[in-house]
Amino acid sequence: MSDVREVIIIGSGPAGLTAAIYTARANLSPLVLEGEPSSTSDQPGGQLMLTTDVENYPGFPDGVLGPELMQNFRSQALRFGAEIQTVKASKVDFSSRPYGVWVGDPDTPEPTHRASTVIISTGAQSLMLGLDREAELIGHGLSTCATCDGFFFRDQEIAVIGGGDSALEEAQFLSRFASKVTIVHRRDELRGSKIMRDRAFENPKIEFRWNSVVDSYEADTSITGLRLSDTKTGEKSLLPVTGVFIAIGHRPNTDLFKGQLELKENGYLVTKADSTRTDVDGVFACGDVQDDYYRQAITAAGSGCMAAIEAERWLENNPL
């Protein structure tokens, strides 16, 4: 059993790398499977690798670039002895200890790695519109997080894409900064809850563009507008805005764990109250893969710390 790892961490955003820092300092020699750069659902470093300025992460009074922040996380984990492999887990087996984790061909009979404990931090991805230049414009007028980026759009006219509670919450928050927020929705009525609809209708800064879909982004180096089509008449129009927030939902990266771990109806991993423990002993989940409420880098990092401490204590009481 000498080839069995004490801790394997699947994923490498703020949650996974914080877990790596803590478990490495506890002399648990964690192995981090950080994902592959070509994978949209398992980006090494998580969603912060796709952002520019991060101004709300404590300790950086002048802000920090998202990729720079994540490189600092990674370097710190390596400094304390974590092993990081730039590969994507393709299969897991949590039916018995030591747990199996495959990399590459999932049909091979033996797992690539075995571990006494596994920490899952595969994160979630924002659903996008799939339009040209979308990845390029993230951080240049295009965002998926109002609480992260709303401050940058003070006294500007911006748009929110969507019609559910997430979109209405984003619009309400953004109205604190923007001079006008236009909600662009493909239908003629909102899907959000009544209380959120009422708040949006009562907000003088929020306007609506009904029965409209986005054809393309108008942009040079940053967003200058949206090209829209009316879903009923086909009429084309230009909505001049300097910021666009996509709020059509998030998708947790949990396909790997279906049938292995308990999932919520929305696909997020279930963890026990005030804990990162899943329904399988010795398997922990942290960050956006189990958090469908806060979805912030700082809360992800905090839950990564929790997972590491819980894994360490669980190992003490459950030696292999």
Side-chain angles (χ1 to χ4, degrees):
M1 304 292 276
S2 59
D3 60 339
V4 176
R5 299 275 185 162
E6 290 190 281
V7 179
I8 287 180
I9 300 169
I10 305 176
S12 62
L17 291 177
T18 299
I21 291 168
Y22 273 79
T23 51
R25 290 187 76 250
N27 293 322
L28 296 177
S29 303
L31 169 63
V32 181
L33 308 179
E34 69 172 349
E36 297 174 339
S38 60
S39 172
T40 58
S41 63
D42 199 13
Q43 168 74 33
Q47 294 186 72
L48 283 185
M49 295 299 290
L50 305 176
T51 64
T52 51
D53 293 313
V54 179
E55 291 199 328
N56 57 359
Y57 199 89
F60 297 90
D62 298 320
V64 62
L65 295 176
E68 180 185 353
L69 178 61
M70 294 320 303
Q71 183 57 51
N72 288 344
F73 273 59
R74 194 177 192 274
S75 297
Q76 193 170 356
L78 289 170
R79 174 193 167 200
F80 290 117
E83 180 183 348
I84 300 178
Q85 296 182 6
T86 308
V87 295
K88 183 177 181 179
S90 57
K91 178 182 173 182
V92 296
D93 180 5
F94 296 150
S95 61
S96 62
R97 291 179 73 203
Y99 302 126
V101 179
W102 279 253
V103 171
D105 185 359
D107 295 325
T108 56
E110 290 297 318
T112 313
H113 304 286
R114 292 188 181 274
S116 295
T117 61
V118 175
I119 296 175
I120 298 166
S121 57
T122 48
Q125 53 187 311
S126 299
L127 298 180
M128 305 297 284
L129 300 179
L131 300 176
D132 290 344
R133 301 188 65 190
E134 210 157 53
E136 172 192 343
L137 290 170
I138 288 285
H140 299 278
L142 185 62
S143 175
T144 59
C145 179
T147 53
C148 308
D149 299 327
F151 178 82
F152 298 118
F153 296 91
R154 189 176 296 278
D155 299 324
Q156 299 180 42
E157 295 188 7
I158 60 179
V160 173
I161 314 300
D165 276 347
S166 293
L168 298 178
E169 288 172 8
E170 298 269 280
Q172 197 73 29
F173 179 83
L174 291 166
S175 69
R176 303 178 190 179
F177 307 99
S179 59
K180 183 171 77 171
V181 179
T182 301
I183 295 177
V184 178
H185 187 39
R186 62 170 54 245
R187 299 179 178 85
D188 57 5
E189 61 181 2
L190 299 169
R191 293 181 291 108
S193 59
K194 184 178 187 303
I195 186 170
M196 293 304 301
R197 296 198 305 267
D198 291 344
R199 287 176 182 173
F201 291 139
E202 292 167 3
N203 191 321
K205 284 189 175 182
I206 295 178
E207 298 184 2
F208 299 88
R209 188 66 72 91
W210 304 108
N211 301 314
S212 296
V213 293
V214 181
D215 291 332
S216 63
Y217 302 108
E218 192 79 4
D220 294 320
T221 56
S222 62
I223 295 281
T224 58
L226 290 175
R227 294 283 178 183
L228 304 178
S229 289
D230 189 292
T231 58
K232 292 189 173 181
T233 67
E235 181 183 354
K236 306 289 186 180
S237 62
L238 173 65
L239 177 64
V241 290
T242 52
V244 176
F245 289 78
I246 300 176
I248 57 176
H250 292 78
R251 183 180 183 275
N253 299 319
T254 53
D255 288 350
L256 189 63
F257 313 110
K258 289 179 178 176
Q260 300 270 342
L261 298 172
E262 183 182 0
L263 304 178
K264 299 180 184 178
E265 288 186 3
N266 59 6
Y268 286 77
L269 286 176
V270 173
T271 50
K272 300 186 186 303
D274 302 318
S275 171
T276 62
R277 291 178 295 132
T278 68
D279 61 325
V280 173
D281 280 344
V283 178
F284 305 87
C286 54
D288 286 10
V289 73
Q290 54 87 44
D291 172 19
D292 57 359
Y293 184 77
Y294 296 104
R295 294 197 293 258
Q296 299 296 306
I298 186 65
T299 51
S303 69
C305 167
M306 292 170 59
I309 292 173
E310 288 186 289
E312 178 187 1
R313 292 176 179 171
W314 191 85
L315 283 168
E316 291 174 356
N317 296 320
N318 298 273
L320 190 63

